[in-house]
Amino acid sequence: MNPAPAQAPRPGSKAADGVVKGRCRDCSSFNASPAELERAFPGLASMGSGYGAVRGNDGLCAMHGRYLSGLSSCGSFSRR
Amino acid sequence: MTAQAQHSPSSPAAQRGWSALWKVEDWWAIWIGLGLVLAAVLLFKSGSSLQWLAVAPAKWHAPAELAAHFAAQWPRYAALFVLWSVLFGLGAWSLGLPLQHFLPSFACVFLVSILLYALGQWDQASRYSLEPPLVGLLLGLLVSNTIGVPRWAEAGFRVEFYIKTGIVLLGAGLPLTLIVWAGPTAIVQAAIASLVTFGVIYFVGIRLGLDRRLAAVLGTGGAVCGVSGAIAVAGAVGARKEHAPIAITLVVLWAIVMIFLLPLLSRALGLPTGVAGAWIGTSEFADAAGFAAAQAYGGYAGHVPGIGGSADAAVNAFTLMKVIGRDVWIGVWAFVLSFIAISRWDDTGIQQRARVSEIWHRFPKFVLGFLLASAAVSLFARGLNYGDYKKTVIPLLVAPLQGLRVWAFTFCFLSIGLTTRFRELASAGIKPFYAFTAGVVVNVVLGYLLSAQVFASFWTSFGQ
């Protein structure tokens, strides 16, 4: 019988080592400032906006170099 | 680069919960737009009107006539400036933009908008194709790409804030029954075009070896909602930080081309305003750019021989196609693509979940304001007969709101040019360019076929 596949922990929940990981929105590597996003994404303000609803709670992660949801998480979490 | 935020709404949590009501631009567009609708209704019920505030240059032939108009009406322009400064200033301040930058910048936008509006009212303007949206855009592009504008001034060039407010006001001029009647056709047409365009960009991108997330961001930018669609999906799928700027560059460049190309082609083909508006709504990428094209084309009605339909039909058809047909689905696209990214694409080392609630969180809330404005005026006018509606409600209630809407749109068109600096846009690379351009070509042809062939009679009658 095959062992049950290991499941990735839910974002923000307890990791395998039992340590509670936070979500990206609380991480020191995460930046969701609309003004800084408009600086980081040239042209965003000319036909879009950093202040609009469609952004949800997304922000830039300096650790992984990604633009992602603030509800994500990873093992490199560092509370701000 | 944009103006620095004064008091930062940087916490993403600020966009969740009740604080979103004053921290998100869409909600401010609703408060301003619906506030003006409510004021217009109350004034109308008390026997007055917003007419005095909604001043606009009259048709003129000789410059002396224009000068006489401004000499007589300047108090109304001053009051209009105060009104917009207070409303947009309050919103800008709440969003975190510094008022000491916003107000002088907005004053410049307002003054130039008066000149643009006046130019459009010249009786020879259509002869020289001096459509205010296009002139405003070109003027802004010329200034920002040659002499430049100071960074602080960008606080007043809030393209999306102005266009969203204008769209809410536009709702007051569109009967709810018309939206309900035309909405399903717009949704069907937009769904066909969006799915095909996304598929073309995505699969051409994959064939060219692009990252799946980049291909998805490009596809949504081209198929759904331009820059807004691109950043919504970039966040939903956890794209690399350089992916969204690539999509933004391509959307902005092609959107500017389409602002001029689609009205030009529509005019050459002699399309009625309703058909052209539907085509622009299907094939233009960004709301602001599309409204510039649609309003410019609406200006041909009654001035250019062979262009049938009413002047408002181009903007109204565009709105239904773009806002109801495409924009409202942005959350669904983001949810579906995030689910696919998590379950099927390569692991990014980041734990993400596809949440159905994202459909609401990413929903462009200003659309609710547009629908509520339409419902409010429709309900108010329900008990009136058509004669009274035409004689009193249109000139005293609807027309002033539409006059204010034209002002908001003019601020937006000028701001597009002033914020677009070609040399600062990210380098897109040849493969993303090919993939996106393949989608553009298919989308334009498909948009024409759907608007001017398959649903031609519908959009023609819509414009009557």
Side-chain angles (χ1 to χ4, degrees):
Chain A
M1 192 173 75
N2 293 329
Q7 286 190 331
R10 288 158 58 104
S13 65
K14 281 186 179 178
D17 58 5
V19 178
V20 175
K21 301 286 186 184
R23 295 181 194 271
C24 292
R25 65 185 181 194
D26 301 316
C27 178
S28 58
S29 299
F30 190 74
N31 189 343
S33 158
E36 290 187 32
L37 190 71
E38 290 190 352
R39 263 197 298 284
F41 290 174
L44 173 58
S46 71
M47 286 192 198
S49 173
Y51 298 84
V54 297
R55 266 194 60 210
N57 58 3
D58 301 334
L60 283 165
C61 168
M63 173 70 70
H64 294 277
R66 290 191 179 272
Y67 180 64
L68 40 78
S69 166
L71 299 178
S72 308
S73 66
C74 79
S76 307
F77 177 78
S78 166
R79 192 169 296 278
R80 74 169 88 227
Chain B
M1 191 171 84
T2 56
Q4 291 282 338
Q6 198 170 41
H7 53 98
S8 174
S10 61
S11 166
Q15 293 201 14
R16 300 281 183 182
W18 294 108
S19 64
L21 298 178
W22 61 89
K23 293 285 188 190
V24 173
E25 195 174 64
D26 295 51
W27 286 110
W28 270 103
I30 292 177
W31 306 141
I32 294 172
L34 287 186
L36 288 169
V37 171
L38 182 65
V41 168
L42 291 176
L43 284 169
F44 182 84
K45 281 182 77 80
S46 66
S48 184
S49 169
L50 265 182
Q51 210 172 26
W52 188 84
L53 264 178
V55 61
K59 277 280 177 199
W60 59 279
H61 175 70
E65 293 171 33
L66 188 63
H69 167 83
F70 285 129
Q73 304 294 341
W74 71 264
R76 295 173 68 189
Y77 285 96
L80 183 64
F81 172 68
V82 171
L83 174 79
W84 283 130
S85 297
V86 169
L87 296 178
F88 283 133
L90 200 58
W93 175 80
S94 188
L95 293 174
L97 295 163
L99 266 187
Q100 70 271 26
H101 294 165
F102 176 83
L103 289 176
S105 175
F106 178 71
C108 294
V109 169
F110 185 81
L111 283 174
V112 178
S113 295
I114 291 177
L115 297 178
L116 287 171
Y117 210 144
L119 181 68
Q121 295 295 74
W122 181 32
D123 63 2
Q124 300 298 308
S126 60
R127 187 177 164 192
Y128 298 104
S129 294
L130 296 173
E131 304 303 329
L134 305 186
V135 176
L137 178 73
L138 281 175
L139 179 68
L141 284 174
L142 188 68
V143 170
S144 65
N145 288 283
T146 53
I147 58 176
V149 290
R151 294 291 181 191
W152 62 262
E154 293 184 2
F157 309 151
R158 299 308 312 176
V159 173
E160 286 272 292
F161 195 11
Y162 301 143
I163 202 72
K164 287 169 181 170
T165 304
I167 292 172
V168 175
L169 289 170
L170 181 64
L174 272 177
L176 195 59
T177 47
L178 186 68
I179 297 173
V180 171
W181 172 68
T185 302
I187 289 170
V188 169
Q189 178 169 331
I192 295 169
S194 295
L195 290 168
V196 171
T197 305
F198 178 87
V200 169
I201 296 175
Y202 182 80
F203 287 109
V204 170
I206 296 300
R207 291 280 294 180
L208 291 171
L210 296 184
D211 179 284
R212 289 185 185 278
R213 287 176 171 80
L214 173 57
V217 172
L218 289 173
T220 323
V224 187
C225 191
V227 169
S228 298
I231 62 163
V233 166
V237 302
R240 294 201 61 81
K241 67 177 181 186
E242 59 271 23
H243 289 168
I246 290 172
I248 290 169
T249 296
L250 292 169
V251 167
V252 168
L253 293 178
W254 273 115
I256 288 176
V257 170
M258 289 302 160
I259 288 174
F260 297 96
L261 186 63
L262 290 174
L264 200 69
L265 288 174
S266 299
R267 183 173 174 167
L269 293 166
L271 297 182
T273 50
V275 173
W279 186 15
I280 295 167
T282 310
S283 299
E284 181 52 280
F285 305 102
D287 287 1
F291 274 110
Q295 190 167 308
Y297 197 77
Y300 296 153
H303 296 102
V304 175
I307 305 294
S310 68
D312 289 338
V315 166
N316 292 347
F318 169 82
T319 306
L320 285 169
M321 277 305 308
K322 184 71 173 69
V323 177
I324 303 296
R326 292 165 68 191
D327 291 359
V328 298
W329 305 101
I330 199 165
V332 176
W333 280 89
F335 167 70
V336 170
L337 287 168
S338 72
F339 181 80
I340 293 171
I342 292 163
S343 58
R344 299 184 64 88
W345 295 348
D346 57 306
D347 186 17
T348 60
I350 297 164
Q351 294 153 22
Q352 289 182 281
R353 283 179 64 199
R355 292 174 171 80
V356 178
S357 59
E358 289 299 309
I359 295 173
W360 165 247
H361 288 307
R362 295 185 189 280
F363 185 82
K365 312 292 187 303
F366 70 91
V367 179
L368 298 177
F370 166 77
L371 294 173
L372 283 171
S374 172
V377 174
S378 300
L379 274 174
F380 180 73
R382 196 176 51 170
L384 300 172
N385 63 51
Y386 184 68
D388 287 342
Y389 179 77
K390 204 171 170 186
K391 197 171 148 191
T392 58
V393 176
I394 287 183
L396 297 175
L397 175 62
V398 176
L401 289 170
Q402 296 315 300
L404 293 174
R405 183 260 296 175
V406 173
W407 281 110
F409 278 10
T410 308
F411 304 152
C412 164
F413 302 146
L414 182 61
S415 298
I416 295 175
L418 289 169
T419 49
T420 304
R421 293 190 184 89
F422 294 117
R423 63 183 173 278
E424 290 183 7
L425 293 174
S427 173
I430 199 70
K431 288 180 180 176
F433 175 78
Y434 284 150
F436 196 85
T437 303
V440 170
V441 172
V442 169
N443 184 253
V444 168
V445 173
L446 189 59
Y448 169 77
L449 291 174
L450 290 169
S451 307
Q453 302 295 328
V454 179
F455 297 110
S457 59
F458 179 85
W459 292 115
T460 302
S461 64
F462 178 86
Q464 302 303 317

